[in-house]
Amino acid sequence: MYESIAVVGATGAVGSIVLELLDKRNFPYKTIKFLASKRSAGKTIIFKGQSHTVEESTPEAFVGVQLAIASTPDETARDLLPDAVKRGTLVIDESGYWRMDPDVPLVVPEINAAAAKNAPKGIISSPNCSTTQLVMAVKPLHDYGKAKRIVVSTYQAVSGAGMLGTADLENGIRAIAEGREQTVECFPYPIAGNCIPQIGSPKEQGYTSEELKLLYETRKILGDDSIKVCPTAVRVPVVNCHSESILVETERKITVSKARELFAAMPGVVVQDDLDNRGQGQYPMPYFCSGRDEVFIGRIREDLSCDTGLAFWCVCDNLRKGAATNAVQIAEYLQYGA
Ligand code: A2P
């Protein structure tokens, strides 16, 4: 059992779910600290019925902390985590900053849990939310038929942009209802009644940073640099849960019934796939997947444009399996093993 653990970014959208999961899943520890930015220092968090004071995430705050789960902006992870590691803390990091470092394992426990044991930098990364659900879906197909090429379009909820993203949507809906102009704090454009085809910053060949995560993180987690990925990431006016339209071209043909079987056997995946269910199709939808820890798959069909292609729809709570749940599962693996 860990003597002392810390939740860094405990006041944030993901951090608050990490707390909920540590409680619900009875994660074992003796003492726990709640860290956030200077702005939150002194605030109170109620955890397991007791009130705790939030501390500023200074390097000294990590003295004596054996394990930290960190959900902060990238720059905070860049600046703070090496100081935490120097003080003996092993960090599970949800930020994007360390993921592609060759000395930092990028872990989805259902796929490559054992990689978490080899963390020479003292940091274990949890993938980007949109990558996690993609690799959870592609892994069983890849194992069976070797994925050659993936085309993925994401429909990403505002909660993925943190508390400010959610506030932009709520304020935007209110503004539309009251006939006012929307003001935005988080997104580059109004998000209510809109779709924004840019998440992250512009990168090479016209792709965004979010889209390239879907390429590079997928290759790293699946351990196969030959997989080709063509990603499009779009922010949509959905409160929570990312959806993805995924097309996978494999070396070995996978029929729809075989794909259903493969998905159903993948731990953490739930198949909801009945388009013609007495007039009301069954398929995953973000509204209904919120608060769930699984990855949901439906609309499974053969790709009409390619002999060995499979198309499907995939929904996952980006704050849970896409972030907090995955990080807590890594912590549980370190604690209990497989
Ligand atoms: P705070 O609430 O004090 O700003 P979200 O993704 O919902 O915006 O949450 C981000 C989390 O990261 C929050 O808990 C936030 O704390 C925390 N955070 C932001 N900047 C820092 C920082 N410089 N040091 C430590 N934690 C930070």
Side-chain angles (χ1 to χ4, degrees), residues 17-92:
I17 296 178
V18 169
L19 293 179
E20 185 191 323
L21 293 169
L22 291 176
D23 181 9
K24 201 172 89 185
R25 296 163 79 114
N26 275 319
F27 187 79
Y29 60 83
K30 286 203 178 143
T31 61
I32 184 165
K33 274 188 175 188
F34 304 87
L35 305 178
S37 79
K38 201 175 183 170
R39 295 179 291 276
S40 299
K43 279 189 188 164
T44 298
I45 281 186
I46 307 290
F47 181 66
K48 295 195 181 196
Q50 290 190 328
S51 57
H52 298 261
T53 306
V54 177
E55 290 177 44
E56 183 185 351
S57 308
T58 60
E60 288 66 41
F62 291 90
V63 173
V65 173
Q66 287 172 302
L67 180 77
I69 299 180
S71 321
T72 68
D74 288 4
E75 308 72 45
T76 307
R78 177 194 63 201
D79 299 342
L80 183 69
L81 299 193
D83 284 331
V85 173
K86 268 188 213 144
R87 284 156 182 81
T89 308
L90 176 64
V91 184
I92 300 168

Side-chain angles (χ1 to χ4, degrees), residues 2-320:
Y2 291 103
E3 286 290 318
S4 171
I5 66 170
V7 177
V8 190
T11 50
V14 174
S16 55
I17 296 178
V18 169
L19 293 179
E20 185 191 323
L21 293 169
L22 291 176
D23 181 9
K24 201 172 89 185
R25 296 163 79 114
N26 275 319
F27 187 79
Y29 60 83
K30 286 203 178 143
T31 61
I32 184 165
K33 274 188 175 188
F34 304 87
L35 305 178
S37 79
K38 201 175 183 170
R39 295 179 291 276
S40 299
K43 279 189 188 164
T44 298
I45 281 186
I46 307 290
F47 181 66
K48 295 195 181 196
Q50 290 190 328
S51 57
H52 298 261
T53 306
V54 177
E55 290 177 44
E56 183 185 351
S57 308
T58 60
E60 288 66 41
F62 291 90
V63 173
V65 173
Q66 287 172 302
L67 180 77
I69 299 180
S71 321
T72 68
D74 288 4
E75 308 72 45
T76 307
R78 177 194 63 201
D79 299 342
L80 183 69
L81 299 193
D83 284 331
V85 173
K86 268 188 213 144
R87 284 156 182 81
T89 308
L90 176 64
V91 184
I92 300 168
D93 179 32
E94 314 232 34
S95 85
Y97 187 76
W98 296 98
R99 289 182 192 136
M100 292 313 297
D101 185 314
D103 289 329
V104 172
L106 182 59
V107 177
V108 176
E110 292 87 343
I111 298 176
N112 62 343
K117 287 194 176 145
N118 181 21
K121 281 218 160 101
I123 299 171
I124 300 161
S125 274
S126 188
N128 188 41
C129 41
S130 48
T131 306
T132 301
Q133 70 188 84
L134 176 66
V135 292
M136 285 284 288
V138 170
K139 168 73 176 162
L141 306 179
H142 184 52
D143 284 350
Y144 177 83
K146 169 95 180 73
K148 291 197 294 187
R149 174 174 166 256
I150 300 168
V151 180
V152 53
S153 301
T154 71
Y155 304 64
Q156 296 185 218
V158 294
S159 64
M163 303 280 195
L164 285 180
T166 305
D168 268 9
L169 178 59
E170 286 172 357
N171 294 337
I173 291 170
R174 220 170 290 128
I176 289 176
E178 292 167 5
R180 288 184 284 110
E181 285 288 308
Q182 294 183 52
T183 53
V184 285
E185 270 191 80
C186 177
F187 300 116
Y189 294 99
I191 186 64
N194 198 14
C195 293
I196 305 174
Q198 176 183 356
I199 304 181
S201 52
K203 297 285 179 200
E204 59 268 26
Q205 291 184 279
Y207 287 85
T208 65
S209 53
E210 183 81 1
E211 288 162 347
L212 293 184
K213 288 174 189 176
L214 284 156
L215 166 62
Y216 295 122
E217 293 182 16
T218 295
R219 286 180 171 175
K220 182 168 176 175
I221 297 160
L222 295 180
D224 187 341
D225 281 347
S226 71
I227 299 177
K228 296 187 166 107
V229 182
C230 181
T232 305
V234 182
R235 186 74 66 191
V236 296
V238 165
V239 177
N240 192 37
C241 293
H242 293 349
S243 304
E244 294 181 353
S245 163
I246 303 172
L247 198 154
V248 182
E249 186 183 345
T250 47
E251 273 181 8
R252 180 181 179 188
K253 184 177 173 71
I254 305 179
T255 62
V256 169
S257 61
K258 185 70 194 174
R260 274 204 194 106
E261 195 185 294
L262 293 169
F263 286 138
M266 176 74 188
V269 166
V270 173
V271 176
Q272 289 179 343
D273 189 29
D274 187 354
L275 183 59
D276 187 21
N277 177 47
R278 293 185 202 152
Q280 188 169 44
Q282 277 190 358
Y283 27 71
M285 287 175 273
Y287 186 80
F288 299 106
C289 295
S290 197
R292 297 285 300 265
D293 289 309
E294 305 95 327
V295 172
F296 295 84
I297 293 176
R299 299 296 324 277
I300 305 167
R301 58 215 192 274
E302 284 188 22
D303 175 0
L304 297 179
S305 70
C306 160
D307 285 345
T308 57
L310 193 79
F312 54 94
W313 176 249
C314 174
V315 182
C316 172
D317 186 329
N318 49 294
L319 298 180
R320 296 183 85 95

